[in-house]
Amino acid sequence: MSFILRRIATTKTGKQIIRDQPLPGDTITLGRDSANTIHVADLAVNPHHATIGSGDGRTVRVTAQEGLGFDLNGRTETVADIDSAAGAELRFGGHRLTIAREDDKIILLVERIDELSQASKDVDEVKAFSLQSVLFGKRVGAWTFAALMLLAFLIGPIWAWHSYRGVDERPNGFHADSAWLSGPLSSAHANLKNDCQSCHVDAFVAVTDNACVNCHTGEHKAMSMAHAGAPTAMLLAARHPPGLGEKVLAGFAEAFNKPAGRCVDCHTEHEGAGPMAATPQKFCADCHDGMAGRLKSAGHPTMLADAADFGTSHPELRPLVRPAAGAKPVRAMPGKPWRDYNGLKFPHDLHLQATGGVARMAASFRGRYDFGKKLECENCHRPDADGVRIKPVEMERDCAMCHSLAFETVGGVTRTLRHGEPDQVVADLTAYYRSTPPARPLQLGGMARRRPGQYAEGQVYNIYFREVAARPSRAADAVRAVFSEGGACYDCHTIFPPAAGNNWRVMAVNQTPRFLTKGWFDHDAHRETACADCHVTATESKASTDLLVPALRQCRDCHVGEGGARIVKVETATESPCAMCHEYHSDGGKPWQPKRERKRQLSSITHQPSRAIYDVSLITGKRERGLYDVSWRTPSLQGARQGG
């Protein structure tokens, strides 16, 4: 057994449209609530007015649910049993429900016969559910709403801006022009939250460069040396030719007081609390993608290679190297082996062997110097305090525990030769051999004098005093031994013997503090990575002239382009825009941090910096105002913090 709901709709021309809908189940509901099986939109009908069911597939029982009955053949009923074969008509408000039977199906025909009812009077369905009678007309409402929007988002903000113009800092509270705020300030400008006029100087004028350089003086006024030293014509020729769309957008920007090339084109604000967002890669690629060809065509040939995306289009790294002993550092040429003559003799492969004499010596020092079963990179190469760079290797700190310069012990104190001072080494050894006798043999113990001819038990006496007489002349032999093959200095340094009145000389050692001067590298950010993962040739290097700085292919094992572009398979990819490694300004600081680093290293400008870092140099302003302009004297940064 099943119910069929049949609805009849009449068009304006009098044409009837009949639609049948099967209704599942033995019991259906009828009412004004849309959740009912038969929905009757009539206020004269209760939300859940009645249930209609059939147990035998022939007799239909209609039961009122909420006290309000229904009309059956002119009588009001609350319960009725109807033979579907005989049929019946029921009325619910302005709708008629006809029950009939076709084949083995019960037909429920719903028709609207009267206007919809609302309590005691009949009204149109639209008016019954409309709020038009209690609201303004559409025209009045539209103008009222427009006036409120002008007041709240134009007149109010302009009045608030004008009221606080010239005030150093606004009081806390609501300010109408905050409605124009597009987002919270970054952590670097968080202290300017209530001082909008410090950047937005003039009404309806975009932030100008003058507003930026009023605070960001010094290094932020100039571009980096690579850009500031280039002719203007060369910089213009390097730019990517704008397309039609870019020209249109540039025209609109110029018309609305937003010329190109402003500070805020790269340093965008109001994009959320935290560090300021990195400069988009597109800013760099607009010039550096295809730049070499454009400059050559314009008569400005360059050695710079094109760069568009680190993952797919980036030139090979060119670290600083010394091509010969004592030469000045120059950038390595692409396609040639990297050789760096720093003045040292040092085989990395020998010191990193898992077995052999070096490994056994390292194991013997485990309790004193925290060595392992063999030497590791970090045993000699130690990071700076900030973790950015690696400190230069020092003899006394990193080498002396194995390569000792001791030559005498006096009263339990060991005397050592002066490292890095060849003239002092010669002087110390000469003084030592002139001022101290050789060790006295045990056979010469006691005070009794021996008669000539009775010293002969082994001729010890004669040999000893002969050594005493010859000892001062042995100083030259000792000096020669120190600076010759097998000596303490020769194994690690290049030695120049005395010539033309000069003493023994040692080639100067030049350890380059920063090999990649055009890009930033932070060792602290890579502390979870094993040294050998990047410095892959260290275990096979037999000469100190081998430059072990990783090549571009090692960087691409982890780093991909800004949008994830790559040309090799990368398991754990780090998106790396240009701003991660390169800076545009010449401040020497870290260009940018990835998101995972920002949470633990946040910096901000505050009105009251730590007294341990800053000293007050000048306080200006009228005391009676209670407002002061404070200048903070910043200590000069050490060289170790000027790059990576």
Side-chain angles (χ1 to χ4, degrees):
M1 187 280 299
S2 63
F3 291 100
I4 299 295
L5 175 62
R6 179 171 295 171
R7 292 182 181 274
I8 300 177
T10 303
T11 65
K12 291 183 179 181
T13 60
K15 181 180 179 180
Q16 288 186 337
I17 300 175
I18 302 175
R19 296 184 178 89
D20 288 351
Q21 176 187 354
L23 300 179
D26 296 334
T27 303
I28 60 177
T29 59
L30 181 148
R32 193 173 72 246
D33 194 314
S34 60
N36 289 286
T37 309
I38 301 177
H39 176 218
V40 179
D42 192 339
L43 292 178
V45 178
N46 285 334
H48 302 282
H49 199 109
T51 60
I52 303 173
S54 177
D56 57 3
R58 181 181 182 89
T59 303
V60 178
R61 167 162 287 197
V62 182
T63 306
Q65 296 295 314
E66 297 180 343
L68 188 62
F70 51 87
D71 291 343
L72 174 62
N73 298 327
R75 301 188 308 275
T76 300
E77 302 287 350
T78 58
V79 178
D81 291 322
I82 301 169
D83 185 355
S84 60
E89 291 185 355
L90 294 83
R91 182 163 178 168
F92 296 88
H95 289 72
R96 180 172 60 196
L97 175 65
T98 301
I99 300 177
R101 184 178 182 83
E102 290 183 2
D103 299 330
D104 59 343
K105 299 178 181 179
I106 299 174
I107 306 299
L108 302 178
L109 176 62
V110 179
E111 299 175 275
R112 177 177 170 178
I113 57 176
D114 294 327
E115 292 293 335
L116 295 178
S117 301
Q118 182 181 10
S120 60
K121 61 180 180 178
D122 294 336
V123 295
D124 185 76
E125 179 180 6
V126 175
K127 293 181 179 180
F129 295 95
S130 174
L131 298 177
Q132 182 177 359
S133 61
V134 297
L135 293 178
F136 298 112
K138 293 181 179 180
R139 186 179 301 275
V140 175
W143 282 107
T144 302
F145 182 75
L148 290 175
M149 293 301 101
L150 285 174
L151 179 63
F153 299 109
L154 182 61
I155 300 174
I158 294 175
W159 175 83
W161 176 87
H162 183 77
S163 300
Y164 292 104
R165 190 174 187 181
V167 177
D168 290 341
E169 186 172 352
R170 298 184 183 186
N172 292 325
F174 174 76
H175 305 284
D177 54 355
S178 62
W180 290 352
L181 192 66
S182 58
L185 291 170
S186 64
S187 57
H189 295 137
N191 64 310
L192 300 176
K193 179 180 179 181
N194 294 327
D195 190 13
C196 304
Q197 287 87 345
S198 60
C199 298
H200 301 276
V201 180
D202 298 319
F204 300 104
V205 176
V207 176
T208 62
D209 289 352
N210 289 334
C212 299
V213 299
N214 282 339
C215 296
H216 299 281
T217 57
E219 68 274 2
H220 284 85
K221 284 185 177 180
M223 296 180 289
S224 64
M225 296 306 297
H227 298 88
T232 303
M234 183 177 180
L235 293 175
L236 292 176
R239 298 183 63 180
H240 180 76
L244 177 61
E246 293 173 321
K247 292 180 179 179
V248 173
L249 292 177
F252 277 108
E254 188 73 26
F256 286 96
N257 261 331
K258 299 178 68 175
R262 299 176 301 143
C263 300
V264 294
D265 285 353
C266 306
H267 304 286
T268 54
E269 255 297 358
H270 296 292
E271 294 191 3
M276 188 175 290
T279 301
Q281 179 174 280
K282 184 179 181 297
F283 171 76
C284 304
D286 279 347
C287 289
H288 286 269
D289 186 9
M291 181 181 66
R294 291 192 294 271
L295 289 180
K296 183 178 180 180
S297 300
H300 303 283
T302 179
M303 293 294 294
L304 293 177
D306 293 336
D309 183 272
F310 184 80
T312 58
S313 177
H314 192 282
E316 182 57 74
L317 307 180
R318 296 180 59 189
L320 283 182
V321 297
R322 297 179 187 271
K328 293 183 178 180
V330 296
R331 296 187 68 185
M333 296 302 295
K336 295 183 179 180
W338 292 348
R339 292 289 182 266
D340 182 49
Y341 292 84
N342 55 18
L344 281 175
K345 302 174 184 176
F346 185 85
H348 277 85
D349 62 338
L350 177 64
H351 288 76
L352 293 177
Q353 288 179 355
T355 59
V358 175
R360 289 196 299 271
M361 181 173 287
S364 67
F365 287 153
R366 293 176 67 181
R368 296 169 56 189
Y369 300 107
D370 197 25
F371 287 176
K373 295 182 179 179
K374 65 182 185 69
L375 277 183
E376 303 290 349
C377 301
E378 56 268 21
N379 294 143
C380 301
H381 299 285
R382 307 171 191 271
D384 279 337
D386 57 3
V388 173
R389 295 197 216 160
I390 299 298
K391 297 178 181 178
V393 174
E394 296 181 5
M395 169 66 183
E396 294 80 0
R397 184 192 65 204
D398 305 313
C399 310
M401 69 280 289
C402 299
H403 300 274
S404 175
L405 298 180
F407 68 93
E408 182 187 18
T409 301
V410 180
V413 178
T414 301
R415 295 180 61 192
T416 60
L417 298 175
R418 307 283 187 90
H419 182 260
E421 302 180 36
D423 292 339
Q424 190 64 49
V425 170
V426 174
D428 287 346
L429 289 176
T430 301
Y432 170 72
Y433 277 92
R434 287 180 179 177
S435 61
T436 58
R440 190 179 183 89
L442 295 178
Q443 293 90 329
L444 299 183
M447 300 299 296
R449 294 185 63 187
R450 289 170 172 78
R451 293 176 297 168
Q454 291 184 350
Y455 67 89
E457 295 85 3
Q459 298 181 346
V460 176
Y461 184 87
N462 185 42
I463 295 174
Y464 173 71
F465 283 99
R466 188 186 307 155
E467 182 67 24
V468 171
R471 185 171 177 80
S473 63
R474 299 292 177 85
D477 296 335
V479 170
R480 188 179 301 106
V482 168
F483 291 105
S484 300
E485 185 175 357
C489 303
Y490 186 88
D491 288 343
C492 299
H493 297 275
T494 300
I495 307 298
F496 300 99
N502 293 326
N503 209 335
W504 291 92
R505 293 187 303 113
V506 177
M507 179 182 290
V509 175
N510 296 294
Q511 298 186 61
T512 304
R514 183 178 179 183
F515 289 97
L516 301 175
T517 57
K518 302 300 182 181
W520 178 280
F521 182 84
D522 190 347
H523 281 88
D524 185 57
H526 298 78
R527 63 187 180 278
E528 301 297 333
T529 304
C531 302
D533 289 347
C534 298
H535 303 276
V536 293
T537 59
T539 56
E540 301 174 358
S541 173
K542 300 182 180 298
S544 60
T545 56
D546 296 337
L547 187 63
L548 304 182
V549 174
L552 182 67
R553 61 181 179 274
Q554 274 78 50
C555 301
R556 282 177 169 169
D557 287 343
C558 300
H559 294 269
V560 297
E562 182 181 59
R566 68 201 75 180
I567 57 177
V568 296
K569 184 178 180 180
V570 180
E571 294 183 0
T572 304
T574 299
E575 294 187 6
S576 306
C578 303
M580 179 180 285
C581 302
H582 299 282
E583 58 179 350
Y584 186 77
H585 294 287
S586 56
D587 56 4
K590 187 172 185 177
W592 180 72
Q593 292 175 308
K595 292 182 179 180
R596 64 174 180 269
E597 295 290 327
R598 296 177 191 173
K599 297 181 180 180
R600 65 177 187 86
Q601 292 184 2
L602 297 180
S603 60
S604 62
I605 301 174
T606 63
H607 283 304
Q608 296 181 351
S610 171
R611 294 184 63 86
I613 302 177
Y614 296 88
D615 295 325
V616 178
S617 61
L618 178 65
I619 296 180
T620 63
K622 297 180 180 180
R623 186 178 298 274
E624 59 269 22
R625 290 176 58 196
L627 299 173
Y628 300 89
D629 299 324
V630 181
S631 299
W632 302 99
R633 183 174 67 248
T634 308
S636 60
L637 296 176
Q638 298 179 0
R641 296 179 180 271
Q642 295 294 313

